[in-house]
Amino acid sequence: MALRFQPFSPLLNFRSTKRSRTVLARNEVSATSNGYPSSTLTSKQGKPEADIIVIGSGIGGLCCGGLLARYGQDVLVLESHDVAGGAAHSFDIKGYKFDSGPSLFSGFQSRGPQANPLAQVLDALGESIPCANYDSWMVYVPEGEFLSRIGPTEFFKDLEKYAGPDSAREWRKLLDAILPISAAAMALPPLSIRGDLGVISTAAARYAPSLLKTFAQMGPQGALGATKLLRPFSEIIDSLGIKEPFIRNWLDLLAFLLAGVKTNGILSAEMVYMFSEWYKPGCTLEYPLQGSGAIVDALVRGLQKFGGRISLKSHVENIVVENGRAAGVKLRGGQFVRAKKAVVSNASMWDTLSLLPPEVVPKSYRDNIKSTPQCESFMHLHLGFDAEGIPDDLGIHHIVVNDWDRGVDADQNVVLISVPGVLSPNLAPPGKHILHAYTPGTEPFEIWEGLDRRSNEYKNLKAERSEVLWRAVEKALGPGFNCEKCEVKLVGTPLTHKRFLRRNRGTYGPAILAGKGTFPGHSTPIPQLLCCGDSTFPGIGVPAVAASGAIVANSLVSVAEHSQLLDAVGI
């Protein structure tokens, strides 16, 4: 049963606590090691080298490195931070274990050809992640607040209350149109894809029978719908005559949470995949019992299990190019580490460009990267506080939308809140809660650019721009929440995001609209230099970056080795 919170009163709850919110446990968010050993830079031969060097230990880089180690390659992952994980790392302060980034997951327990790409990689590495299952989140929108349940029928109840009389019919029409084509969207396992012509063997030929069977079962109408998978999702919505404002706003919100763009910019395939996961019978969401850091730990264990290495606090200053090819990297301090076969960058496209000697980069490639639009950055609020007065049936996730008319991509308009301790109490001291609230890739970097993080101007702006997070938290936690009881208060800004994640302008990633641009892919003009992560196909989000890492790893081994791996994991 959901508890309907008391209406939020800005006069009672907001003004009275404004001053105390500027007090931080630390000046900036920081992290500590997760406990796994950081490896040496030297290979078994005693030289600072590896077959393949991976720059950055985000989920994409760890998936790539782990699979390469599974393939028997000598792989070395270099991480500038003192903890692995990139945007998915966890950090511990005063006994509170915080997620730094994603907290909404599904598909960890799935197996087989249609499994989540990250689940497929973990399966290949022989790793699993204990999770708590749940099926709902609290939503606060201009129309009201309600507990939104995933599944094929529950959302109809919300539509009846908050949308127009035709909303249920339109929603059913949408489900009837897109769920049948989900089989086509999931027909090729991401682990089967590679970046060369070998994909004909590992993907097209291997899964041709199941593809043909899928299209036969879909019938002419469904097969025609499948042709739209690589077009913007808004085209499917428009073709079905979906006009109900609440439904269109809701779909924009889901698209934005998934890929950082609205329905007119997201590929239909991504939305169809999400619908197949969230609106099928028996579906659930999953949260790792040890937080998002458990994902990172599992990937690092898999990497090291197969002989791969990870070196923390190893900041890459430059990618070294010799005779026109990527030959290795130079670390801060001047040490050169050779890559005998390839260098893989898990940094963003803009940060990768900055690592390359300008003279080796073709002008067309440089201009294309510089002209690629970016998603904005984040405001973060991490809290550790006493659970007294907080409802016992509080849900893990809360989404606040302040104004539909401004658009879900407008700054200070949408806030996501995660309270993972309700499912995993061990993430906080006894009787305490942890909370992470953030604006999802909508905070403009321009207003922060050039500010000194020690200045009063920066501190005042941080207090001002974090108020929307505090208001959302008070709405979600209800009148029992008292910010004075917070033992940890951390406000992160785009400068924090840029500093700790080494992200150009603190960005979430490329804002490439479906139908108006394409992700650049994994290859570069520099031989032996490849890229994975959110700047490559298939895009932003945990499943996408996991798939990108797998694709690059597959591309660096033979078709025979790749096929053997697919056989071994049963896909």
Side-chain angles (χ1 to χ4, degrees), residues 29-90:
V29 178
S30 64
T32 56
S33 172
N34 287 28
Y36 39 77
S38 179
S39 302
T40 176
L41 298 174
T42 57
S43 65
K44 293 179 181 179
Q45 289 72 35
K47 299 179 180 179
E49 65 179 15
D51 291 337
I52 299 159
I53 291 173
V54 178
I55 303 171
S57 67
I59 286 179
L62 289 176
C63 285
C64 181
L67 286 179
L68 285 169
R70 172 72 167 75
Y71 281 126
Q73 301 293 313
D74 176 23
V75 59
L76 171 62
V77 179
L78 299 174
E79 171 56 50
S80 180
H81 206 346
D82 59 2
V83 63
H89 77 269
S90 293

Side-chain angles (χ1 to χ4, degrees), residues 226-401:
T227 63
K228 301 177 181 179
L229 289 174
L230 298 182
R231 298 293 301 166
F233 189 63
S234 58
E235 293 184 4
I236 290 181
I237 300 172
D238 293 339
S239 70
L240 295 171
I242 306 298
K243 300 184 182 301
E244 170 56 49
F246 183 87
I247 291 179
R248 296 193 69 110
N249 286 330
W250 183 258
L251 293 173
D252 271 342
L253 176 63
L254 294 180
F256 191 74
L257 297 179
L258 184 63
V261 291
K262 296 189 290 188
T263 54
N264 65 346
I266 191 171
L267 284 175
S268 293
E270 292 184 75
M271 285 294 281
V272 169
Y273 180 89
M274 184 274 294
F275 265 79
S276 70
E277 285 286 303
W278 288 8
Y279 293 101
K280 64 185 179 183
C283 56
T284 62
L285 297 169
E286 298 162 321
Y287 183 77
L289 291 179
Q290 298 300 320
S292 66
I295 303 170
V296 176
D297 292 345
L299 290 171
V300 172
R301 285 197 307 269
L303 168 78
Q304 296 181 328
K305 179 194 305 180
F306 290 100
R309 295 174 282 149
I310 181 169
S311 180
L312 305 176
K313 294 187 285 188
S314 296
H315 181 75
V316 174
E317 289 281 7
N318 300 108
I319 297 171
V320 177
V321 178
E322 296 177 351
N323 300 318
R325 296 177 175 271
V329 299
K330 186 178 76 171
L331 303 181
R332 180 178 291 164
Q335 185 176 18
F336 172 64
V337 185
R338 181 169 295 281
K340 294 187 286 184
K341 294 183 179 179
V343 174
V344 178
S345 176
N346 185 214
S348 77
M349 61 170 70
W350 304 280
D351 295 294
T352 300
L353 181 64
S354 70
L355 295 176
L356 287 165
E359 65 273 11
V360 306
V361 181
K363 183 177 183 301
S364 59
Y365 184 72
R366 181 186 303 109
D367 292 346
N368 182 57
I369 289 177
K370 290 185 175 181
S371 64
T372 299
Q374 292 183 344
C375 292
E376 298 288 3
S377 191
F378 293 77
M379 288 295 298
H380 290 277
L381 179 64
H382 289 90
L383 301 177
F385 56 95
D386 197 313
E388 183 180 359
I390 304 302
D392 293 335
D393 58 355
L394 181 71
I396 178 175
H397 288 301
H398 307 255
I399 298 179
V400 179
V401 180

